[in-house]
């Protein structure tokens, strides 16, 4: 591909490489971990069955809605302003999987 055309393709977002969603583990490590690793501000600690027991009943969709809206002191999107809904869903699933 000629340099001009290559630049145009990149500028217009016509690159054929798919944009991949971040893994739940990556989102957790990049954002969620700051509170959920040690239970900062009442966040349920990852892997703590007792802390997650009341939340598990909400399921992934219910918990995702909480993350999207935020719940004091957790900001909307869990503070991950660059995360897509699917990224956040993966992070929620990752934390739920850690309980099992």
């Amino acid at each position: 591909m000629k340099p001009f055309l290559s630049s145009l393709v990149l500028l217009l977002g016509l690159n054929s490489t798919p944009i991949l969603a971040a893994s739940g583990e990556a989102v957790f490590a990049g954002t969620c971990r700051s509170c959920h690793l040690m239970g900062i501000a009442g966040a349920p600690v990852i892997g703590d069955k007792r802390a997650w027991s009341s939340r598990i009943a909400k399921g992934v969709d219910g918990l995702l809605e909480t993350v999207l809206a935020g719940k004091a002191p957790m900001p909307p999107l869990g503070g991950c302003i660059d995360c897509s809904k699917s990224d956040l869903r993966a992070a929620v699933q990752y934390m739920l999987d850690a309980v099992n």
Side-chain angles (χ1 to χ4, degrees):
M1 197 177 287
K2 294 182 180 180
F4 172 76
L5 188 54
S6 295
S7 298
L8 183 61
V9 166
L10 290 174
L11 283 173
L12 295 176
L14 300 175
N15 192 344
S16 63
T17 305
I19 297 173
L20 301 175
S23 73
E25 183 176 11
V27 175
F28 175 82
T31 303
C32 311
R33 151 188 190 151
S34 59
C35 292
H36 288 281
L37 189 63
M38 301 294 290
I40 304 298
V45 174
I46 188 168
D48 182 339
K49 288 184 181 189
R50 192 170 64 169
W52 283 92
S53 64
S54 65
R55 293 164 174 91
I56 290 171
K58 293 180 180 181
V60 174
D61 290 334
L63 291 172
L64 179 60
E65 291 306 314
T66 300
V67 172
L68 293 172
K71 183 174 181 178
M74 182 180 69
L77 304 175
C80 187
I81 60 172
D82 294 327
C83 288
S84 68
K85 190 173 180 178
S86 63
D87 293 338
L88 295 170
R89 178 183 298 279
V92 168
Q93 187 64 61
Y94 176 76
M95 287 188 273
L96 287 176
D97 290 347
V99 174
N100 297 323

